[in-house]
Amino acid sequence: MNNTLKNERKLLLFTYLLCMVCSLNLYFLKSPFDQGAIIIGAVICILIGYSHFITRHFFPEGDKYILIFSCILSSIGIFMLYRINRTTAVKQLIWFIAGIAVFILIIVILPDIEKFSKFRYFYLIMTLACMAAGSLLGKEQYGSKNWITIGSNFSFQPSEFGKLFLVAYLASSLEHYKSFKNLIEPAFVVMASLGFMVLQKDLGSALIIFAISVTMLYISTSKFKYVAVCIVLFVIGSYISYKMFAHVRVRIMIWQNPWKYAHDQGLQLVQSMFSIASGGMFGSGLGLGHPEFVPVNTSDFIFASICEEFGLLVGFGIIILYFLLFYRCMRAAIFVDEGFSRILSVGFSAMIGSQALVIIGGVVNMIPLTGVTLPLVSYGGTSMFITYIALGLIQKTSEEGNRI
């Protein structure tokens, strides 16, 4: 326990140092000096310190690295957003505060997570409602019809909430797995969710839903033949989508040769790769790059902007942080005995990990670009809030597992 606490404090110290360096860098960039950068840094440090104190002091059993790693990623994102657009960064900071608040509330207020396994059909209804909402009420934005706008300033993606409910539904269904018959209903729910994502042209969410479902299926059944069948069906579905939908063909076409379409459909991807290459291994320095040349630089392509100014070393560091966060989340699932809590944690871990891989892979052109946010780093209030709800539930699972 003492060694763990010492390691946590060391990591927190490095986190505070990172915040101080980024704040001072942004402070001296402007003339006159930018006091807002110092305020942002101070708020982040206070919030991280306070949230760690609450979770460590009152709930000492759980895995505190989940909170620390997520806060480091959020801090990097907020500072990069502040460098690009102050207003956007302030909005993201507000969502960060809301996310940390809901994270703590879940740990403090929620009873044993296993008690929520009985609400299976509520999760089913909410999953289908959230997944279908974009098709019925959504407005097209960035090529996908998955945004619902309320008023003039607030918009959100209902599919983000749908992923939460889908994970909860699959966990409550798969914990009772005994034979193939138990998989029929979940299979239809997953296929319906994938169908809605394809209709909404949200290919990124479709990939993430598939990754979540396959991971939870394998953990629940331990049978690779089910996974193989899912992969075959997904390949067939992808081929049909490629033939039926023009936007799928465009994404594949750009992925195969982005330079051929560098002045129109492939502009975003080409500018992203130029941005990463221009930063080199050590970056141009915070505030010394040109993220304005990269379209959608606050959300889908923020990783390219970070690599340009912080360098590929920091880019690799972010990828390692995601792997560490994924590892700690999966570790929480290993140490809990209850089926629902364990499968739920696996599902949320897969959701966060697959989303990071999908967008980073798309930005560097390893896979076709799908247009999802980089969890905790990209601008997006819905994404950050949902991610912290998922992390809060995983943290609650780790508290229960370590008490056994």
Side-chain angles (χ1 to χ4, degrees):
M1 179 65 76
N2 289 333
N3 287 334
T4 302
L5 184 58
K6 285 181 181 178
N7 291 332
E8 287 175 16
R9 287 174 175 171
K10 286 179 183 177
L11 190 55
L12 281 172
L13 183 62
F14 284 119
T15 305
Y16 297 146
L17 184 61
L18 171 68
C19 292
M20 288 172 58
V21 169
C22 290
S23 294
L24 288 172
N25 195 322
L26 293 169
Y27 173 75
F28 288 115
L29 275 178
K30 300 289 182 180
S31 182
F33 296 141
D34 189 351
Q35 296 180 354
I38 301 296
I39 295 172
I40 289 277
V43 170
I44 292 173
C45 288
I46 292 169
L47 191 62
I48 293 172
Y50 176 74
S51 57
H52 181 264
F53 171 77
I54 293 293
T55 54
R56 166 54 66 186
H57 185 73
F58 295 102
F59 305 94
E61 294 91 354
D63 190 337
K64 304 304 178 288
Y65 289 106
I66 293 173
L67 175 65
I68 298 173
F69 290 143
S70 64
C71 286
I72 294 172
L73 289 167
S74 299
S75 302
I76 293 171
I78 290 170
F79 285 118
M80 193 66 223
L81 288 171
Y82 191 86
R83 180 263 179 273
I84 297 171
N85 187 302
R86 296 185 194 179
T87 305
T88 302
V90 172
K91 291 179 182 178
Q92 186 76 342
L93 179 63
I94 293 170
W95 281 109
F96 178 50
I97 295 169
I100 292 294
V102 76
F103 180 93
I104 294 173
L105 285 173
I106 287 171
I107 300 170
V108 174
I109 295 175
L110 226 60
D112 188 351
I113 291 179
E114 198 65 25
K115 293 180 180 178
F116 293 92
S117 65
K118 59 187 176 183
F119 302 112
R120 171 181 169 183
Y121 290 105
F122 170 74
Y123 302 141
L124 188 155
I125 292 168
M126 292 304 298
T127 297
L128 295 178
C130 290
M131 295 299 183
S135 300
L136 301 174
L137 307 171
K139 292 177 64 178
E140 189 164 320
Q141 188 172 335
Y142 302 123
S144 299
K145 189 185 176 185
N146 59 348
W147 290 87
I148 291 180
T149 303
I150 300 174
S152 57
N153 296 318
F154 182 74
S155 60
F156 70 99
Q157 290 178 283
S159 60
E160 293 289 331
F161 292 94
K163 291 173 196 171
L164 277 184
F165 288 115
L166 176 64
V167 171
Y169 166 73
L170 290 176
S172 63
S173 297
L174 295 175
E175 72 164 332
H176 302 296
Y177 167 78
K178 291 181 180 178
S179 66
F180 177 75
K181 291 181 180 180
N182 301 118
L183 303 178
I184 296 173
E185 182 189 289
F188 279 110
V189 174
V190 171
M191 285 191 288
S193 300
L194 289 171
F196 283 124
M197 293 305 99
V198 171
L199 290 175
Q200 294 168 27
K201 304 179 184 178
D202 191 355
L203 305 181
S205 291
L207 271 175
I208 294 164
I209 289 170
F210 175 74
I212 291 169
S213 306
V214 169
T215 305
M216 296 178 74
L217 175 65
Y218 183 72
I219 294 296
S220 303
T221 65
S222 301
K223 293 187 177 180
F224 183 75
K225 63 181 180 180
Y226 292 153
V227 176
V229 170
C230 289
I231 293 172
V232 170
L233 291 174
F234 188 79
V235 170
I236 294 171
S238 300
Y239 180 75
I240 294 171
S241 298
Y242 176 82
K243 290 295 184 181
M244 289 181 62
F245 301 106
H247 66 276
V248 177
R249 292 194 293 274
V250 169
R251 294 289 175 90
I252 299 296
M253 181 178 65
I254 295 169
W255 172 59
Q256 290 175 330
N257 187 4
W259 311 106
K260 185 177 179 180
Y261 310 97
H263 299 290
D264 38 55
Q265 297 107 318
L267 175 65
Q268 293 180 339
L269 184 57
V270 168
Q271 289 297 102
S272 168
M273 291 192 288
F274 275 135
S275 180
I276 294 171
S278 66
M281 191 61 70
F282 302 104
S284 61
L286 184 58
L288 300 178
H290 295 281
E292 67 274 10
F293 293 158
V294 181
V296 204
N297 54 14
T298 59
S299 54
D300 295 5
F301 289 93
I302 195 170
F303 184 75
S305 300
I306 290 171
C307 288
E308 180 185 5
E309 299 203 342
F310 286 94
L312 281 172
L313 279 178
V314 173
F316 288 131
I318 289 173
I319 294 172
I320 291 170
L321 279 171
Y322 278 116
F323 275 113
L324 289 172
L325 181 60
F326 177 76
Y327 161 70
R328 302 306 296 200
C329 291
M330 291 294 284
R331 184 177 178 273
I334 292 171
F335 286 100
V336 70
D337 286 341
E338 292 86 355
F340 177 73
S341 300
R342 183 176 65 252
I343 301 171
L344 190 77
S345 295
V346 168
F348 287 139
S349 303
M351 181 182 79
I352 296 168
S354 61
Q355 186 167 333
L357 287 175
V358 164
I359 186 58
I360 291 175
V363 166
V364 300
N365 202 36
M366 290 187 68
I367 61 173
L369 185 65
T370 52
V372 294
T373 57
L374 186 59
L376 303 170
V377 177
S378 294
Y379 173 64
T382 309
S383 176
M384 176 165 281
F385 192 71
I386 292 298
T387 303
Y388 271 109
I389 290 175
L391 291 173
L393 291 168
I394 295 171
Q395 179 70 32
K396 186 71 176 179
T397 300
S398 77
E399 304 281 351
E400 294 170 1
N402 286 323
R403 281 202 297 266
I404 295 172

